[in-house]
Amino acid sequence: MRTIGNLLWLVLAGLWLAIGYVLAGVLACILIVTIPFGIASFRLASFVIWPFGRTTTWRREAGIWSVLGNVIWIIVFGWELAVVHLVAGFLLMVTIIGIPFGVACWKMIPLSLVPLGRQIVPIADVRKDPYGLPT
């Protein structure tokens, strides 16, 4: 069932959202200082293109630099990508088939705002998390 959901997601929104993240990553990689933002953007593109069956968790070793980086990310790239997710969610809600995908798109808005300090993991690995941290 996950594969069918991922294929439908890819056709309806995943490809276009991933292209947005790749463009943000390319723009971030122009300067040497912002390469970590580009890497985060490419990581998000891989998640957005095939999201079902995977989730994101906070990395425990992420420190103050990820917080500062997230503040810069929100100003430079994050709010634009969040708006893209918001609009795509509304467009997906037009059809009955698209309603679950629109909700999934809206669930990615916080991730598009603060991607640094997060990691993409299979859902099965989250169940093994001894701390039970929410995603």
Side-chain angles (χ1 to χ4, degrees), residues 112-133:
S112 69
L113 287 172
V114 285
L116 300 175
R118 309 279 308 240
Q119 63 183 356
I120 300 168
V121 296
I123 290 177
D125 289 351
V126 176
R127 294 186 192 122
K128 297 176 189 174
D129 186 9
Y131 299 105
L133 295 175

Side-chain angles (χ1 to χ4, degrees), residues 14-85:
L15 181 65
W16 303 109
L17 291 171
I19 288 171
Y21 279 104
V22 168
L23 289 175
V26 169
L27 287 174
C29 286
I30 290 175
L31 299 173
I32 293 173
V33 177
T34 56
I35 288 177
F37 298 127
I39 293 170
S41 185
F42 295 140
R43 187 174 56 242
L44 290 175
S46 73
F47 179 67
V48 167
I49 204 162
W50 203 261
F52 298 107
R54 299 188 297 169
T55 189
T56 60
T57 59
W58 290 101
R59 290 187 335 199
R60 288 181 182 76
E61 67 273 4
I64 188 70
W65 294 112
S66 65
V67 174
L68 294 173
N70 278 327
V71 170
I72 295 169
W73 174 270
I74 289 170
I75 295 168
V76 178
F77 296 113
W79 69 271
E80 293 99 339
L81 292 169
V83 168
V84 169
H85 277 285

Side-chain angles (χ1 to χ4, degrees), residues 99-115:
I99 291 174
F101 298 112
V103 171
C105 196
W106 287 340
K107 286 182 179 181
M108 291 182 193
I109 290 175
L111 181 62
S112 69
L113 287 172
V114 285

